[in-house]
Amino acid sequence: PKYYVENHHPAIIDRFTWERVQAAFRGREEVENGAPFKQENARQQHLYRLVCGECGAGFERHGYTGTAAGYRDERGDDLSEEERQFYKETWSYTYRVWRCETKYLGREGKRGSLSKQEREAFERQCPSPIVNETAIEQSFMELLYTLKLDQRLYGEESALARDFRLMCGRMEEEYRKNRPPDRQMELLDQQIAALEAQYREVVFKREGKQDQELACYDQLAEDIQSRIERYAQEKEKRWDIHREAADRKRKFTLFCQCLEKLPDCNRAGQKLNIYGLNADAGPQEGAPPDFLEFDQAMYTAFVRKAIVKGDRIEFMTSFGVRLTCGGIDRNLNSFIGFRRVDENGVIHLLTQSWQVNNARIQYRRKKRVYTGKRKGT
């Protein structure tokens, strides 16, 4: 005999971490469906699942370039002061934005700034905003910490718990309306059992038959098999709502556990200040807000679609509750004054926009072209 024993020996990883990672894998598989992506942007578009709230089209991920104002390093030190006047030096960085795929339809491959007429025409195509990826990530994390604080203070009476109970109530009502009578389910089971017995009999009689008679038995077996599958699908369909409700409750429980596991302190050991709201004790005066590390696993595991409209974003979750937050109209300058803690626990105050994403600074220099006489010659 074989026996299954739970928690027999110490696990390599704890059960919560295992379930959290598995939920992220399932969320990724539901969207990607095994499709390979040659470019990282294509993969990210499927993982973020952003949809335009104005026209219903998907959002595309683009890279924009900004100038690193006030930045300078040793990459330009090989030029003398006299040589430097003949070159234009730039230090720049790349940041990611999202925009509706229909907003600039018809401008593919074109470069340069938009004219006023072009800008107005594109706004008529779709008035949705261009959203900074950093704003989406920070708004999502601020929403999670708000839910965590609400759950910690009010427990089963928190807004999240109430919304989930309402959603479960609607599903239960729908289930009661569509729940098949016990007698009907018994009949389906009997029909499936009778067809399976008939199928086995046909397969047995088929042995030793040849040519035309064999083809008749094959056709009969195929017909019985298709009827069995049809009855089985009908039976499965009748229980779908019940199974979906159980699956959503499991995902909601895991989501609440993930909220509780979110760290209360940054890597420097200081209590997190969530955009002016301390994770434990309410408003924290004087301390700069923390620039939060984006939890990609939670996003992938629980967000099935995110609808962008104006300065707000609505997350459609895998457990059936819609979560809404604002703040996605912020740009990189909006995070100046935040504090970031690096992997070594060192705190850095963000004073420039290029510091926000900790982006790699690119150096370029181009020889100046003079079309006329220079001044003083």
Side-chain angles (χ1 to χ4, degrees), residues 130-131 135 139 310-312 326-331 334:
I130 297 174
V131 185
S139 296
D311 65 341
R312 303 191 69 76
I328 63 169
D329 57 342
R330 292 177 287 183
N331 56 32
S334 304

Side-chain angles (χ1 to χ4, degrees), residues 93-322:
Y93 63 98
T94 301
Y95 59 97
R96 301 296 175 182
V97 300
W98 293 80
R99 69 189 190 200
C100 177
E101 62 186 8
T102 66
K103 188 174 183 69
Y104 293 115
L105 205 62
R107 189 177 162 77
E108 294 84 353
K110 297 181 181 179
R111 292 181 174 272
S113 57
L114 296 171
S115 66
K116 183 180 178 182
Q117 290 78 9
E118 286 179 319
R119 191 174 291 107
E120 290 174 351
F122 287 133
E123 282 297 319
R124 286 194 295 271
Q125 282 185 182
C126 182
S128 62
I130 297 174
V131 185
N132 197 294
E133 185 171 284
T134 302
I136 296 173
E137 295 176 349
Q138 288 298 297
S139 296
F140 178 71
M141 294 308 299
E142 289 162 6
L143 171 64
L144 293 186
Y145 274 99
T146 302
L147 294 173
K148 175 182 179 176
L149 180 60
D150 190 47
Q151 181 177 270
R152 184 174 289 179
L153 292 176
Y154 302 107
E156 290 299 316
E157 294 305 314
S158 64
L160 178 63
R162 289 199 308 270
D163 289 346
F164 184 71
R165 284 198 298 271
L166 286 173
M167 186 276 302
C168 288
R170 289 193 295 268
M171 289 195 72
E172 287 293 334
E173 185 179 351
E174 186 178 354
Y175 172 67
R176 281 195 297 271
K177 288 179 181 177
N178 299 317
R179 184 180 185 275
D182 293 337
R183 179 58 184 160
Q184 192 174 4
M185 295 301 294
E186 288 177 11
L187 287 173
L188 279 174
D189 286 335
Q190 291 171 6
Q191 287 171 329
I192 291 173
L195 286 170
E196 287 175 344
Q198 189 178 353
Y199 178 77
R200 287 193 296 269
E201 184 181 353
V202 168
V203 171
F204 177 76
K205 290 182 177 179
R206 178 183 179 279
E207 297 296 329
K209 305 298 180 182
Q210 294 181 356
D211 301 334
Q212 187 174 358
E213 196 173 4
L214 180 64
C216 289
Y217 273 100
D218 286 341
Q219 181 63 40
L220 181 59
E222 186 179 340
D223 180 59
I224 294 173
Q225 187 68 29
S226 65
R227 289 168 66 190
I228 291 173
E229 291 175 359
R230 187 167 65 250
Y231 280 127
Q233 287 172 2
E234 184 178 349
K235 181 182 175 182
E236 288 291 312
K237 187 177 179 181
R238 293 174 186 273
W239 290 105
D240 276 349
I241 296 175
H242 180 66
R243 282 197 299 271
E244 185 180 357
D247 184 56
R248 288 188 178 186
K249 287 178 181 178
R250 181 182 57 79
K251 289 176 179 177
F252 177 74
T253 301
L254 180 59
F255 180 76
C256 292
Q257 291 173 350
C258 290
L259 286 181
E260 193 56 37
K261 292 283 186 179
L262 288 173
D264 292 324
C265 297
N266 58 30
R267 290 178 180 173
Q270 299 178 346
K271 283 184 182 280
L272 285 173
N273 195 26
I274 313 300
Y275 199 46
L277 180 67
N278 182 270
D280 270 338
Q284 182 182 4
E285 298 294 336
D290 279 275
F291 188 82
L292 303 170
E293 185 176 351
F294 180 54
D295 195 329
Q296 178 74 71
M298 279 196 73
Y299 191 100
T300 305
F302 299 110
V303 176
R304 291 295 167 266
K305 185 168 67 171
I307 303 173
V308 177
K309 190 162 187 180
D311 65 341
R312 303 191 69 76
I313 184 167
E314 184 179 50
F315 299 104
M316 315 287 286
T317 65
S318 59
F319 48 87
V321 176
R322 298 188 177 199

Side-chain angles (χ1 to χ4, degrees), residues 20-43:
R20 184 174 183 269
V21 173
Q22 292 305 307
F25 281 151
R26 285 192 295 271
R28 185 188 294 259
E29 288 169 1
E30 285 179 16
V31 178
E32 293 186 0
N33 198 21
F37 297 100
K38 295 182 179 179
Q39 296 181 350
E40 180 61 19
N41 271 6
R43 178 178 293 278

